Amino acid sequence: MSDWFETLGGLRGQVWRMLSQGACDPDSALHTAALATTGLGGAAEARMVVLRGASPSDASLEVHTDRASRKVDELQAKPKATLLFWDPVQSLQIRARVDVEILTGPALDNRWNALAEPAARNYGGRPPPSTPMTSAHDYEETTERDRFAVLVGHVTSMDVVHLGKMHRRALFESKDGFAGMWLAP
Ligand SMILES: Cc1cc2nc3c(=O)[nH]c(=O)nc-3n(C[C@H](O)[C@H](O)[C@H](O)COP(=O)(O)O)c2cc1C
């Protein structure tokens, strides 16, 4: 029997199993990712985020954020991003390119009600993110329902690298139903 990283189907299945696990297991290496966007000035931007959802059937990944954060302005201007993951146990890098849909308002009631109180406090705060302050103590934590935003990343491609005795790299694209092809690593 072949190992999961030896076939395109095995690799694709493992990637989605790991992402689904990562979304619900805080101890998983895939619970966090670097989210890269295009900055408003045109330069690359990146920051760490928590993976909150992964749906293989919709090929989507979900991140929660503060609507007032700069990344939301960037994604409104250019709704494309990359989520970059690394799992050192499985020696797997996943570079998921996504078209981002920004959800706000009543559509998020169920998600908002499901948030534990400490998590809800991530959405809000005065002054808003990235505002210069004279002192670190000038910041006041507030919970603001209207500031809760969900970024749904519709996966357009996944570039996957497995480091092993032999390095393997594959590209899965939405345009052919994520059939996948091998790339030179
Ligand atoms: C481990 C880790 C996880 C984070 N998770 C999130 C997150 O899920 N959503 C979020 O908006 N910011 C998260 N942050 C904070 C962001 O990295 C970033 O500092 C903040 O969102 C402001 O980014 P922006 O100015 O580019 O919008 C996290 C930071 C760390 C270190």
Side-chain angles (χ1 to χ4, degrees):
M1 217 179 87
S2 59
D3 283 313
W4 58 266
F5 47 79
E6 292 182 285
T7 64
L8 290 168
L11 202 49
R12 185 180 50 235
Q14 177 73 359
V15 163
W16 279 111
R17 271 191 299 281
M18 287 171 60
L19 288 170
S20 302
Q21 171 79 12
C24 53
D25 177 4
D27 293 329
S28 161
L30 301 196
H31 194 55
T32 52
L35 171 72
T37 50
T38 303
L40 294 176
E45 288 288 350
R47 80 288 286 158
M48 296 305 295
V49 291
V50 173
L51 179 66
R52 299 289 180 183
S55 167
S57 53
D58 295 344
S60 67
L61 301 171
E62 188 171 308
V63 169
H64 295 178
T65 195
D66 185 334
R67 184 180 188 168
S69 67
R70 195 165 285 174
K71 70 181 85 49
V72 173
D73 294 336
E74 292 169 1
L75 287 166
Q76 270 164 350
K78 183 158 186 165
K80 288 190 176 291
T82 295
L83 281 156
L84 181 65
F85 302 86
W86 164 241
D87 186 317
V89 175
Q90 301 293 345
S91 297
L92 196 69
Q93 170 179 272
I94 304 166
R95 183 175 2 182
R97 300 186 186 96
V98 293
D99 286 342
V100 180
E101 186 184 356
I102 304 169
L103 305 181
T104 54
L108 303 181
D109 282 348
N110 288 345
R111 287 180 182 85
W112 177 257
N113 293 333
L115 289 181
E117 164 53 21
R121 272 189 259 135
N122 292 330
Y123 313 104
R126 298 205 185 123
S130 302
T131 306
M133 301 189 303
T134 313
S135 150
H137 299 284
D138 290 347
Y139 182 73
E140 183 199 353
E141 222 177 42
T142 61
T143 300
E144 292 175 51
R145 165 70 183 81
D146 289 351
R147 294 261 295 271
F148 180 51
V150 169
L151 309 176
V152 182
H154 300 282
V155 179
T156 55
S157 75
M158 296 235 214
D159 184 324
V160 178
V161 175
H162 180 255
L163 301 183
K165 249 191 217 157
M166 183 185 149
H167 298 341
R168 288 180 168 84
R169 181 176 174 194
L171 179 67
F172 300 95
E173 295 178 293
S174 58
K175 66 182 183 194
D176 62 4
F178 298 99
M181 68 171 106
W182 296 109
L183 298 181

